[in-house]
Amino acid sequence: MNFLRVFCITVLCLVITACSPKPEFKNIDITGSTAFGKDFSLVDPDGKVRTLADFKGKVVVMFFGYTQCPDVCPTTLTEMKEVMALLGPQADKVQVLFVTVDPERDTAEVLKQYVPAFDPRFLGLRPADEVSLEKVTKDFKIYYKKVPGSSLGSYTIDHTAGSYAFDPDGHLRLYIKHAQGPETLAHDLKELLK
């Protein structure tokens, strides 16, 4: 009798799971992937070490870039600001993280001014040292490379332009392609917030 009860409950759970609607994302669904980073340990502008656990209960959008980026980074942050406006009250359940790949120039003070200028809820993070930068970029499969500029000591950085999104439980769910438009991204974040 006990076996029959366990069997019936198991079948019921499978039926409920099969009937649950699967989110229809417009970006790349990487749910369950083990090839990408699961966590990070980065420093905020106030010197506090942050990990994914600090943002539990929120959808986290994580973007790698640098403050002197001439195009991709400000475009992405502007798009995310527009996404937050489209989300309305749900925006308070989203945390945008800007992770610098240029800690040499992107000091805590620079990040503290630059990132919240797009939206006060956005947070800039930096690796504690070069080893931490290499670890987080390797974990998240982020390409970055210094490109010498025209004058001595100047440089730009080529880097991956996409972002990642974690669900409120801290599971990596999406790879977000660059310049999808705020409506597309807002749609996907609403799916993650359900």
Side-chain angles (χ1 to χ4, degrees):
M1 193 59 147
N2 207 11
F3 171 78
L4 185 58
R5 179 180 294 163
V6 170
F7 177 77
C8 290
I9 291 172
T10 302
V11 169
L12 181 62
C13 289
L14 289 172
V15 168
I16 290 171
T17 303
C19 294
S20 298
K22 186 176 181 197
E24 292 188 27
F25 297 121
K26 296 181 185 278
N27 280 281
I28 301 170
D29 186 347
I30 56 174
T31 302
S33 174
T34 58
F36 297 93
K38 295 176 186 71
D39 203 353
F40 53 84
S41 180
L42 298 162
V43 182
D44 73 15
D46 295 323
K48 181 178 178 186
V49 175
R50 299 299 197 111
T51 66
L52 191 56
D54 292 325
F55 308 104
K56 186 113 172 136
K58 290 188 173 192
V59 166
V60 174
V61 178
M62 188 175 184
F63 174 72
F64 292 79
Y66 67 113
T67 62
Q68 294 189 32
C69 177
D71 45 25
V72 171
C73 301
T75 301
T76 298
L77 289 168
T78 299
E79 184 175 75
M80 282 308 306
K81 177 182 178 174
E82 294 169 9
V83 168
M84 298 296 264
L86 289 172
L87 291 174
Q90 286 184 301
D92 290 334
K93 296 177 185 171
V94 174
Q95 179 62 62
V96 175
L97 302 177
F98 176 87
V99 180
T100 184
V101 293
D102 187 15
E104 183 181 328
R105 294 184 295 194
D106 291 344
T107 63
E109 295 77 26
V110 170
L111 288 175
K112 193 174 214 168
Q113 300 227 340
Y114 180 82
V115 179
F118 292 90
D119 186 300
R121 297 170 286 200
F122 294 2
L123 181 63
L125 298 174
R126 57 193 313 274
D129 52 35
E130 192 64 33
V131 172
S132 299
L133 175 60
E134 288 177 21
K135 179 179 179 356
V136 74
T137 53
K138 183 179 179 184
D139 287 352
F140 284 91
K141 310 282 189 250
I142 299 298
Y143 168 82
Y144 73 101
K145 181 182 178 184
K146 277 188 183 181
V147 179
S150 56
S151 62
L152 185 63
S154 70
Y155 62 90
T156 58
I157 298 180
D158 289 343
H159 63 91
T160 303
S163 304
Y164 290 102
F166 294 84
D167 67 22
D169 293 322
H171 300 116
L172 187 57
R173 301 292 300 277
L174 294 174
Y175 177 76
I176 301 163
K177 298 173 277 186
H178 175 64
Q180 292 293 295
E183 295 81 9
T184 298
L185 188 47
H187 168 274
D188 284 356
L189 297 186
K190 285 178 183 177
E191 287 291 317
L192 290 176
L193 286 165
K194 285 183 180 175

